[in-house]
DNA sequence: TCTTGACTTAGAGTGCGCTCTAAGATGTAT
DNA sequence: ATACATCTTAGAGCGCACTCTAAGTCAAGA
């Protein structure tokens, strides 16, 4: 490594920084979630700060359970420039609503699960259990 | 349908009551999530109240994102009788913890997403946006 | 008797989101 | 020169949780 570090991060560096694998980074690029990443002279990818920003955003969307298809739609809009911002907001807000609903459902399930656990614990400790076991 | 209704529900009835498909009910039985369901004279399944209770419980577990494998473990314990209750509680409590963590993560993601949406809306309405776009 | 419809089985197929393989190019260190 | 590490590509494979198909049985109704 005599040559000065050329601008940009290698795929491995980005993988380590983001927690995605290099495989996944290439996959995301192939299916259009990332624009073609700049290449170093030898054809190797070099990621810049903007790329990193998009990758973090994609991670957020996936983390919220957005399907890849919807993410592709979003990135297609993003590629169309600032005129698409309203559409992008719509898409995000729809997803936000779904996420909110899902969280609520999970909270209900959690309460239900706690109820079940308490029921089984009641049996264990010999305390007469609530006959309603639902 | 002259014969008096024999005890128990048909697979279709249970499907409608639970929101699972008949396919899924057979699948759950095949992989050991349900004990062998009683059969009517002609070999058709007949579900009783207890079966229904287990199915609702399985739906709860799946609804909380428990993997099928773990559900199989749980049902294996259940088949071993009351001596396994402590182990079942352990399993459920571990899962409860994971569920709780997942809900927390989703809530963080939701906040982050809201932040993003607000950022984009700021652009739309021409209000100078917070330069920190993360 | 014939048709219809609900059920049975074993096993194949599906959609999702990666994840990995194979073959090859390039660059660095000894 | 040689060994190695890291990257490239196209495309195959995987794990999960269903979901569906094909071929067959059975009972009720026209």
């Amino acid at each position: 490594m005599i040559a000065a570090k050329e601008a940009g991060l290698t795929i491995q560096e980005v993988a380590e920084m983001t927690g995605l694998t290099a495989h996944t980074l290439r996959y995301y690029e192939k299916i259009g979630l990332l624009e073609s990443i700049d290449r170093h002279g030898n054809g190797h990818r070099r990621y810049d700060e903007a790329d990193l920003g998009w990758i973090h955003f994609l991670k957020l969307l996936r983390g919220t359970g957005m399907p890849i298809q919807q993410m592709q739609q979003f990135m297609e809009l993003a590629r169309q420039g600032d005129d698409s911002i309203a559409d992008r907001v719509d898409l995000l807000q729809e997803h936000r609503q779904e996420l909110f609903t899902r969280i609520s459902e999970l909270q209900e399930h959690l309460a239900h699960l706690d109820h079940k656990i308490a029921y089984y614990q009641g049996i264990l400790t010999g305390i007469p259990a609530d006959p309603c076991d639902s």
Side-chain angles (χ1 to χ4, degrees), chain A:
Chain A
M1 246 204 231
I2 278 166
K5 215 175 199 126
E6 310 251 345
L9 300 153
T10 68
I11 197 166
Q12 263 318 312
E13 285 165 342
V14 173
E16 277 154 31
M17 290 169 73
T18 61
L20 299 176
T21 67
H23 287 309
T24 301
L25 287 167
R26 290 191 202 98
Y27 167 65
Y28 277 9
E29 190 178 340
K30 183 160 63 177
I31 66 173
L33 290 185
L34 293 169
E35 292 225 47
S36 292
I37 302 295
D38 280 349
R39 302 308 177 104
H40 189 255
N42 55 13
H44 293 192
R45 290 170 179 80
R46 285 299 151 112
Y47 295 80
D48 62 22
E49 280 305 313
D51 297 328
L52 224 38
W54 282 113
I55 293 167
H56 282 305
F57 182 59
L58 292 172
K59 274 198 72 180
L60 170 63
L61 294 184
R62 280 298 297 141
T64 62
M66 183 183 283
I68 293 277
Q69 264 209 25
Q70 222 172 114
M71 290 167 60
Q72 287 172 314
Q73 265 176 52
F74 186 93
M75 295 309 288
E76 176 55 29
L77 288 174
R79 255 174 257 120
Q80 289 167 20
D82 284 0
D83 289 352
S84 73
I85 289 183
D87 288 344
R88 281 187 255 167
V89 168
D90 286 352
L91 201 154
L92 290 185
Q93 270 178 336
E94 249 175 71
H95 180 61
R96 188 224 119 94
Q97 188 50 50
E98 268 167 41
L99 176 56
F100 184 83
T101 304
R102 210 153 60 73
I103 290 173
S104 304
E105 283 168 4
L106 286 178
Q107 278 168 338
E108 275 171 41
H109 287 328
L110 179 62
H112 198 155
L113 187 58
D114 281 341
H115 190 88
K116 279 285 182 193
I117 290 172
Y119 169 75
Y120 277 120
Q121 279 178 330
I123 295 174
L124 275 184
T125 56
I127 292 165
D130 179 350
C132 168
D133 143 65
S134 71

